[in-house]
């Protein structure tokens, strides 16, 4: 939905249409258990105070992150009125030249550290428009170019189409923030891990080996096995440099599964 008008594109498959606002009836069955948990942890006010302390700590850590050249590394959204602020921090990471790091990249790197993040527009395109300063015409353009919920089109024409959100609950701890900070420092600021946290993945002990190398010259078509490749600023050479368009929309396997049978050659 745009800021000042309604706009919705119905999906073709009935099972996909059901995702548009289906009642979460399973959650209704869990209400009694949920209220019991609230009472056991001291009530909603106690949980709110605890989670807000953690969220404020995360906010303070993130807003101080900078690159080697002094440029800010994080752009945080909201946090102007603490009385209206919940225990969440929505942000995007910035590169040392001021450009945006896509939220999909952040989400994938966070996964290596066992961190669950929510990314995108969080089912609220209106808020995305306001905080990311996206105009109605730009939002419609994104839809026309194939932008949809759950995809990886996180930066279009240099502008973010969504953000990263960390949400804190009753089981969140300060240690969770330190793991997040370690991930950002190591993956996006070039720093070495400096803290020792009892965590499933120890970055200092992590090693990887390339077992297979492939590129996909045409998006969503069959890939090509390689023995070696050149690494460019945008990734492996010849990887996803072409795409197939029809009626102004990029075709992908999400809607056209048989595209995987199209062979490519460079």
């Amino acid at each position: 939905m745009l800021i000042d008008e309604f706009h919705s594109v119905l999906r073709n498959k009935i099972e996909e249409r059901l995702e548009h606002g289906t009642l979460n009836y399973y959650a209704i069955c869990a209400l009694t258990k949920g209220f019991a948990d609230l009472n056991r942890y001291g009530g909603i006010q106690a949980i709110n105070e605890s989670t807000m302390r953690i969220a404020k700590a995360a906010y303070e850590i993130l807003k101080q992150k900078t690159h080697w050249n002094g440029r800010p590394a994080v752009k945080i959204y909201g946090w102007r009125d603490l009385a209206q602020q919940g225990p969440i921090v929505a942000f995007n990471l910035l590169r040392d030249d001021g450009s945006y790091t896509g939220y999909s990249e952040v989400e994938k790197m966070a996964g290596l550290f066992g961190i669950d993040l929510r990314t995108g527009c969080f089912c609220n395109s209106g808020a995305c428009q306001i905080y990311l300063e996206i105009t109605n015409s730009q939002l419609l353009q994104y839809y026309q170019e194939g932008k949809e919920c759950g995809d990886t089109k996180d930066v279009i024409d240099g502008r973010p189409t969504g953000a990263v959100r960390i949400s804190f609950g009753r089981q969140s701890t300060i240690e969770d923030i330190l793991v997040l900070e370690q991930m950002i420092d190591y993956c996006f600021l070039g720093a070495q891990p400096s803290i020792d946290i009892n965590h499933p993945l120890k970055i200092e002990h992590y090693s990887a080996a390339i077992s297979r190398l492939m590129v996909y010259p045409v998006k969503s078509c069959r890939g090509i096995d390689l023995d070696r490749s050149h690494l460019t600023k945008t990734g492996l050479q010849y990887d996803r440099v072409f795409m197939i368009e029809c009626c102004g929309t990029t075709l992908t396997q999400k809607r056209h599964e048989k595209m995987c049978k199209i062979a490519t050659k460079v």
Side-chain angles (χ1 to χ4, degrees):
M1 186 168 64
L2 302 178
I3 292 176
D4 56 4
E5 61 180 281
F6 179 78
H7 178 79
S8 179
V9 179
L10 289 179
R11 301 180 180 181
N12 294 325
K13 298 179 180 179
I14 184 64
E15 62 271 21
E16 293 179 347
R17 290 190 184 186
L18 288 175
E19 296 178 7
H20 285 283
T22 304
L23 181 65
N24 185 8
Y25 49 86
Y26 286 114
I28 297 176
C29 302
L31 284 175
T32 302
K33 179 67 165 57
F35 287 130
D37 278 348
L38 283 177
N39 292 330
R40 186 166 67 252
Y41 285 92
I44 191 66
Q45 185 60 33
I47 295 175
N48 181 64
E49 291 174 358
S50 173
T51 53
M52 279 304 298
R53 282 196 298 270
I54 299 172
K56 287 178 182 178
Y59 169 75
E60 293 296 332
I61 289 175
L62 290 175
K63 77 175 185 178
Q64 296 177 29
K65 292 296 176 184
T66 59
H67 288 286
W68 61 272
N69 55 6
R71 286 178 177 266
V74 183
K75 182 172 183 178
I76 301 175
Y77 305 103
W79 285 85
R80 298 187 182 93
D81 183 1
L82 293 184
Q84 301 294 323
Q85 179 65 46
I88 62 173
V89 182
F91 65 94
N92 270 313
L93 294 184
L94 301 169
R95 304 186 191 279
D96 58 8
D97 62 356
S99 62
Y100 286 91
T101 297
Y103 57 75
S104 294
E105 181 179 349
V106 179
E107 182 179 19
K108 288 180 173 61
M109 298 309 296
L112 294 176
F113 285 72
I115 303 172
D116 290 324
L117 298 174
R118 191 174 181 188
T119 59
C121 269
F122 323 119
C123 302
N124 192 337
S125 58
C128 260
Q129 278 194 265
I130 293 172
Y131 287 104
L132 302 180
E133 299 179 349
I134 301 173
T135 65
N136 287 353
S137 59
Q138 287 173 327
L139 187 60
L140 289 173
Q141 176 192 344
Y142 296 165
Y143 278 118
Q144 291 168 357
E145 293 181 359
K147 173 65 181 170
E148 58 184 25
C149 182
D151 66 13
T152 57
K153 294 182 178 180
D154 45 22
V155 178
I156 297 179
D157 296 332
R159 301 179 64 89
T161 62
V164 178
R165 189 175 82 179
I166 46 178
S167 305
F168 299 100
R170 60 177 173 80
Q171 293 181 322
S172 300
T173 65
I174 293 295
E175 285 71 22
D176 295 333
I177 303 174
L178 299 181
V179 176
L180 175 71
E181 182 182 24
Q182 183 182 25
M183 182 275 292
I184 293 175
D185 288 348
Y186 184 75
C187 298
F188 299 99
L189 299 182
Q192 292 297 318
S194 58
I195 57 176
D196 183 17
I197 296 177
N198 184 17
H199 193 267
L201 176 63
K202 294 285 188 179
I203 290 298
E204 58 267 28
H205 298 153
Y206 180 74
S207 62
I210 298 176
S211 60
R212 188 179 184 186
L213 193 61
M214 296 185 69
V215 293
Y216 298 82
V218 182
K219 181 176 175 60
S220 287
C221 294
R222 189 179 299 174
I224 301 174
D225 281 291
L226 299 175
D227 294 326
R228 64 182 64 184
S229 178
H230 294 289
L231 185 62
T232 69
K233 291 183 178 180
T234 57
L236 295 180
Q237 188 177 27
Y238 303 125
D239 189 46
R240 294 174 177 84
V241 293
F242 302 102
M243 61 184 180
I244 301 175
E245 285 194 359
C246 180
C247 302
T249 300
T250 302
L251 304 185
T252 68
Q253 285 189 36
K254 286 186 177 181
R255 296 185 181 275
H256 306 279
E257 296 87 351
K258 292 184 179 180
M259 288 184 67
C260 66
K261 298 181 180 180
I262 301 176
T264 57
K265 183 178 180 181
V266 176

